[in-house]
Structure formats: C-alpha cells, structure tokens
C-alpha cells in the first residue's frame, strides 16, 4: 500500500473527510506532502511533481523563497506573536500603499475570507445599505452570504450553496453574470451597498474580463451610490505588483489582498479610500478584529515577498505571462490536433483548459465543460509528474521559481495527458 493511501485512511479517522479544505481531496485519495522547494513538490511516496497549484496561487515566488525564509527565520528569534503594534506593520502598510494607489489605509487580517467579509461589512456601514451584488461563480470565502452561486469547491462538488447558511443573510446577496453589464444593471438598486468582484475570475476556471467591463462595473455601481470591492485575493501581486488594478488600469473603492501577499505565510489585508477606512474601530463604528492580525511572522514574510516582487518588476511579470501563454497555446494546439473539444483561457501567470468548444466568458459557459474529463486530465498530469488543482473550477498557476526545464516538462505532460482523455 502506498504511503499516501495509508496516511489518508488514518487522517479520515480524525479529520472531517480527511482533508482540511475540500478541494484538496481527489479520488481515490490525495497525495500527502513530504516537502517542497522552488517549483516542485514531493509526496510521501517520494514522487516529485512540477507544482502548478502553487498553494492555489499563493506561491508566486515558489516554495521556500530564500528572502522570505530568511526574514521569517530572523523574526522567529525576536518573537512569534505580540498582540501589540510593531513598526513592521506600518512598513508593510506603506509598501502596499505604494503598490496600490487605491489603498490609502488598510487593515491586516489572516485569510481572504476575513478580508472580504470585513470589506462587505464596512461597505454596508458606509452606505447604510444591506444588499450586496456578487457574480455567478465568484468565490470570496466560506461564509454564509458569500456562498451564494459560489465557485471553487462549491462548484466542484456541484453544490448550489451550503447547507446551514442563515437564510436572512443569503437573501441580501444578489447575483449578476460576469461579463454581462445588463445583468448587473438589473440587479442594482438603491439598497445595494457594494458590488464585489474578482477582477479576473479564478474560481470558476479562469475567466477574464474586458477592461471595458471592469470600467462599466465601477460606473454602474457608483451611479447607484454603491461601493466597488475588488477581491484581489488571487490577482493581487500576481497579475502585477499592483494587481488587476494596475493590469487593467482601474481603481476600486475597497480592495482585498491575501495569497501572494504573504509569500507562503498566512496574511490578508483589506484597504481603500481613507474616508471609508476611517469607519473602522476603534476610530469608527465598524468592528474588525483578530488575535493573529498583523502577527510578526506573517508580516516579516510579506515585507520580504513584496520587496522581492517590486524588485523583479514588470519584466518578470511579462515573462510569466508569456510562459503561461506559451503553455496555453501548446495545450490548444495539441487538443486541436487530437480533435478534443476544448477552450483554453490564460491571463498573467494563470491558465486553464475547459473541455467544451464554447468560449468561456462566465460561470454558465464554464459549466458546459466536461468536468469528469478534467478530473481524468488532472490525474494523468499527476501520473506524468505535474500537479494542477484537481478541479475544473480552479486554475493552474506559475511561479517565478519554475525553470525552463519545468515548463518543458509541463508541456510534454499535458501532451501525454490529453492523449489519455481524447476518447
Ligand atoms: C478570490 C478569492 N477570494 C477569497 C478567497 C478566500 O480566501 P481564504 O481561503 O484565504 O479564506 C479565495 C480563496 O481561494 C479566493 O480565491
């Protein structure tokens, strides 16, 4: 019996469903990890994979980035948690503000979920309104009123939402179609506090907006007196140092950041216009708090990661985008030659293949893909030494640590794996 199989049957006896987050599971059992370095991850059976899951986008700089590890090691010697302010928190806030002109004040938290939940609460308090509008297939975290028509694991397991949610909470979440401004206009009213959007959808497969769509979302929201929340949990520091806002040349009222912000450590932030952010306690009436918010370990990792991402700059982001484009067009060519119905989307350092001929521009078209075929593809990729998120409703990521050889290996693995799903 394989080590991962044994570890999974043991885990099932003490961990609910054997994994600590649903999309980590795949059939017949997930591989258990021994260690990881750079662009590669090694399982408990000694198999090494090129890692294109990149911790669901968090590892823009790859595993065990040297600068991040050394900053954290230095901080470990000074303490792990104080729950009293440190100058490093201010340094981090100043660094983020340099990258995101729309963020004049911010608050640190631990997860993307906390950041979007707090951003929504703030928008409700600022506008004095109750409703929010999200987009079909958009994922903003695992809490009641965000789990309406959600992507990610909710989509993967075919759930409409989640059982146990407070109906009174979900009733105030309205849903519009991505890339469809008329559906947003139809959802808007003077009761809407905020429109929350993933500026590139990365939880329903990969779905890109047009710049014009993002501009019109902002215009429509503002014309109804609502705020715009850009959930840049995935896109922040990944599409550019300044995230999707820099990439598309737009500005949100409130922005949420997580994943790549931490260089592999748990940290998140939300921030925006000073007049909005000043509503937060203790200066204002909106309560946001967490014991681990701004903890020195994550803050030191984040400062090191941002400094490095700024140093690498536009040249590195363009190189990553070209590489993702190269993988995407290779997958496109191979699938075309094999007569496999498919669509491939890519943007910045992200890509995803869908098994349907229809262009994928929203959640409805993403769902037309043969997701069973995608699961088989992901399994065959693993057999060929490449790890991608095992769900159609996630995306594959690149990191700066992937080498030319890794990318060559990935392209050959897609070729072989596509050969295995052609029938
Ligand atoms: C766009 C987006 N928002 C929010 C979240 C929630 O972040 P976390 O898992 O850190 O709570 C995710 C997680 O994948 C995400 O992709």
């Amino acid at each position: 019996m394989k080590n991962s199989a044994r570890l999974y049957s043991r885990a099932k006896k003490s961990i609910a469903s054997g994994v600590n987050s649903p999309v980590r599971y795949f059939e017949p059992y997930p591989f258990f990890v021994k260690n990881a370095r750079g662009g590669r991850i090694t399982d408990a059976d000694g198999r090494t994979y090129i890692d294109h899951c990149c911790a669901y986008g968090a590892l823009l700089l790859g595993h065990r980035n040297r600068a991040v590890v050394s900053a954290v090691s230095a901080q470990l010697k000074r303490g792990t948690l104080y729950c009293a302010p440190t100058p490093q928190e201010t340094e981090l806030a100043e660094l983020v503000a340099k990258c995101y002109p729309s963020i004049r004040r911010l608050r640190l938290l631990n997860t993307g979920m906390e950041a979007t939940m707090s951003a929504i609460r703030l928008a409700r308090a600022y506008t004095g309104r109750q409703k929010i509008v999200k987009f079909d297939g958009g994922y903003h975290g695992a809490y009641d009123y965000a789990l309406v028509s959600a992507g990610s694991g909710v989509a993967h397991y075919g759930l409409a939402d989640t059982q146990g949610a407070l109906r009174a909470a979900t009733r105030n979440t309205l849903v519009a179609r991505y890339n469809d401004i008329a559906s947003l206009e139809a959802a808007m009213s003077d009761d809407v506090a905020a429109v929350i959007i993933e500026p590139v959808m990365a939880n329903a497969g990969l779905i890109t907006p047009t710049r014009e769509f993002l501009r019109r979302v902002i215009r429509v929201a503002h014309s109804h007196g609502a705020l715009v929340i850009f959930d840049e949990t995935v896109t922040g520091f990944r599409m550019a140092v300044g995230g999707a806002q820099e990439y598309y040349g737009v500005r949100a009222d409130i922005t949420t950041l997580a994943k790549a912000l931490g260089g592999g450590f748990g940290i998140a932030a939300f921030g925006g216009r000073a007049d909005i952010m000043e509503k937060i306690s203790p200066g204002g009436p909106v309560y946001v708090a967490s014991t681990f918010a701004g903890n020195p370990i994550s803050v030191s990792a984040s400062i090191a990661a941002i400094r490095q991402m700024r140093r690498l700059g536009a040249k590195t982001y363009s190189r990553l985008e070209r590489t993702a484009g190269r993988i995407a067009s290779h997958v496109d060519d191979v699938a075309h030659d094999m007569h496999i119905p498919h669509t491939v989307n890519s943007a910045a350092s992200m890509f995803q293949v869908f098994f349907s001929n229809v262009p994928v521009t929203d959640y409805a078209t993403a769902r037309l893909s043969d997701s069973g075929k995608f699961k088989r593809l992901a399994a065959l990729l693993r057999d060929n030494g490449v790890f991608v998120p095992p769900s159609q409703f996630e995306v594959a990521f690149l990191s700066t640590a992937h080498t030319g050889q890794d990318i060559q290996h990935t392209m050959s693995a897609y070729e072989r794996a596509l050969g295995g799903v052609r029938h």
Side-chain angles (χ1 to χ4, degrees):
M1 194 186 204
K2 291 217 166 134
N3 288 334
S4 284
R6 206 155 9 85
L7 289 166
Y8 180 61
S9 48
R10 178 176 161 200
K12 271 198 301 187
K13 294 185 187 130
S14 57
I15 295 174
S17 292
V19 288
N20 277 311
S21 199
V23 286
R24 290 181 200 169
Y25 175 76
F26 50 78
E27 283 154 8
Y29 53 84
F31 66 66
F32 276 58
V33 179
K34 193 159 118 200
N35 57 43
R37 183 188 204 111
R40 296 175 179 221
I41 191 162
T42 302
D43 73 13
D45 293 289
R47 295 205 58 202
T48 294
Y49 309 82
I50 312 292
D51 182 8
H52 289 298
C53 180
C54 292
Y56 291 87
L59 298 171
L60 181 85
L61 298 172
H63 294 277
R64 288 159 64 190
N65 176 268
R66 205 176 300 156
V68 172
V69 168
S70 122
V72 168
S73 309
Q75 181 56 47
L76 278 172
K77 297 190 188 109
R78 294 192 292 268
T80 59
L81 188 63
Y82 312 129
C83 287
T86 62
Q88 286 79 12
E89 290 162 78
T90 310
E91 189 183 343
L92 175 54
E94 289 168 357
L95 262 177
V96 172
K98 279 189 189 143
C99 305
Y100 291 79
S102 67
I103 299 182
R104 294 300 90 206
R105 301 272 191 286
L106 65 68
R107 261 299 176 84
L108 296 175
L109 287 164
N110 311 290
T111 64
M113 159 166 145
E114 289 172 287
T116 62
M117 193 159 53
S118 305
I120 290 170
R121 179 181 304 143
L122 177 61
R124 286 187 167 133
Y126 184 82
T127 58
R129 301 169 175 189
Q130 285 288 293
K131 294 190 192 314
I132 56 161
V133 176
K134 73 179 284 289
F135 289 87
D136 197 16
Y139 181 74
H140 304 292
Y143 53 97
D144 290 8
Y145 48 91
L147 285 176
V148 177
S149 296
S152 189
V154 184
H156 181 63
Y157 293 107
L159 309 170
D161 44 37
T162 177
Q163 286 198 6
L166 189 67
R167 267 192 293 278
T170 56
R171 227 180 283 135
N172 282 312
T173 302
L174 309 173
V175 179
R177 274 175 79 137
Y178 204 76
N179 277 322
D180 178 352
I181 207 71
S183 79
L184 175 63
E185 271 161 353
M188 290 306 293
S189 70
D190 291 348
D191 295 335
V192 173
V195 175
I196 183 164
I197 183 168
E198 287 181 72
V200 165
M201 281 236 270
N203 288 286
L206 186 72
I207 299 172
T208 55
T210 59
R211 184 192 312 256
E212 191 47 29
F213 175 67
L214 291 180
R215 288 212 172 120
R216 290 176 75 186
V217 166
I218 294 168
R219 216 176 308 134
V220 168
H222 286 173
S223 73
H224 286 270
L227 298 180
V228 175
I229 302 169
F230 267 25
D231 180 359
E232 295 230 39
T233 295
V234 171
T235 54
F237 295 102
R238 175 161 281 283
M239 299 198 76
V241 171
Q245 292 174 71
E246 178 183 330
Y247 189 94
Y248 289 107
V250 291
R251 277 192 194 196
D253 299 308
I254 306 176
T255 300
T256 62
L257 300 165
K259 302 213 180 200
L261 170 69
F265 284 77
I267 190 165
F270 73 107
R273 279 171 23 206
D275 64 313
I276 301 173
M277 293 300 290
E278 270 158 15
K279 298 267 177 240
I280 292 170
S281 58
V286 180
Y287 200 72
V288 174
S290 165
T291 302
F292 281 86
N295 75 78
I297 297 295
S298 296
V299 167
S300 65
S302 184
I303 291 172
I306 297 177
R307 280 202 188 129
Q308 189 163 358
M309 292 185 283
R310 293 186 82 206
R311 235 186 351 259
L312 293 170
K315 228 165 103 183
T316 297
Y317 282 96
S318 313
R319 175 175 64 78
L320 289 175
E321 175 142 29
R322 278 197 307 278
T323 307
R326 199 149 56 85
I327 298 173
S329 59
H330 183 66
V331 170
D332 191 24
D333 290 347
V334 172
H336 180 266
D337 290 349
M338 291 181 181
H339 306 289
I340 302 171
H342 72 282
T343 297
V344 191
N345 285 353
S346 81
S349 51
M350 305 177 275
F351 59 95
Q352 184 60 304
V353 56
F354 300 88
F355 291 112
S356 104
N357 273 332
V358 180
V360 176
T361 55
D362 61 10
Y363 187 40
T365 42
R367 270 183 311 193
L368 296 176
S369 176
D370 180 343
S371 55
K373 192 173 272 209
F374 184 89
K375 272 192 213 165
R376 294 207 304 282
L377 177 87
L380 287 166
L381 283 170
R382 287 193 299 278
D383 291 346
N384 283 282
V386 168
F387 177 43
V388 297
S391 163
Q392 175 69 84
F393 301 107
E394 301 288 343
V395 309
F397 295 96
L398 295 179
S399 78
T400 56
H402 286 119
T403 63
Q405 209 182 354
D406 292 341
I407 300 306
Q408 215 47 54
H409 183 121
T410 296
M411 295 206 287
S412 312
Y414 266 98
E415 227 169 284
R416 283 194 290 274
L418 284 165
V421 299
R422 70 203 299 183
H423 301 298

